[in-house]
Amino acid sequence: MLAALFLLNAVELVGVLFVGPGFWIGFAVTGTLLVVYVIYLRSRALADQRRRRARAREAAWLAVRQAEVRREQARRAAARREAQRRLAAQRESVRRTAMGLDRPADLPAAANGGTVSYRRAGGLRGRPYQSGRGTHSA
């Protein structure tokens, strides 16, 4: 459209120079249309520029918020991992204490924390099958 108006204005100026002054009317009309169209294009360009800036501001704001969310998620994940690590260490400590593995070898059981374990040191639990109440002949 812009190129067509420029071309039309150029043709009308050539007409004014080579044909006669009657082309001034057409030149004035097409010149006015050209100026109005250029003003319209400029206003659209400014509106597009404002829209792009607004989108860029919104995108920057969104990027900042997403970074905050990612940092908070990473912090929570690290806290969860630390809590799981502590829980695993606590379970291992309880397991080692229950099995009697954490007391020093040179101390007797009663000297380690003042507790005495009433568990058997080893062997089978309960009584052997043959030592039942009576002899069963089946």
Side-chain angles (χ1 to χ4, degrees):
M1 180 83 170
L2 186 63
L5 284 174
F6 271 127
L7 184 62
L8 190 55
N9 271 341
V11 167
E12 298 217 2
L13 274 178
V14 168
V16 166
L17 293 175
F18 293 113
V19 177
F23 280 92
W24 280 114
I25 300 281
F27 177 75
V29 171
T30 57
T32 304
L33 286 176
L34 179 64
V35 168
V36 168
Y37 189 63
V38 167
I39 291 172
Y40 168 75
L41 289 178
R42 177 70 180 150
S43 68
R44 280 197 57 192
L46 290 175
D48 286 344
Q49 188 179 31
R50 279 192 299 269
R51 212 172 303 120
R52 279 193 306 272
R53 283 184 192 153
R55 284 188 193 140
R57 276 193 307 270
E58 184 178 342
W61 177 83
L62 185 60
V64 167
R65 296 301 167 260
Q66 287 175 341
E68 287 175 359
V69 167
R70 282 193 295 272
R71 279 193 303 269
E72 183 63 22
Q73 287 173 342
R75 186 193 63 78
R76 287 179 184 167
R80 275 194 306 273
R81 284 192 302 271
E82 179 61 24
Q84 288 173 349
R85 187 195 60 78
R86 273 193 248 122
L87 182 62
Q90 183 181 14
R91 284 181 182 159
E92 179 63 18
S93 174
V94 167
R95 185 189 69 79
R96 291 180 68 81
T97 301
M99 293 186 70
L101 297 175
D102 62 345
R103 67 175 173 240
D106 59 340
L107 293 177
N112 185 21
T115 59
V116 177
S117 175
Y118 293 101
R119 278 201 276 169
R120 293 183 185 176
L124 298 173
R125 289 185 169 193
R127 296 183 310 224
Y129 182 72
Q130 292 82 8
S131 68
R133 291 189 176 169
T135 57
H136 297 291
S137 59

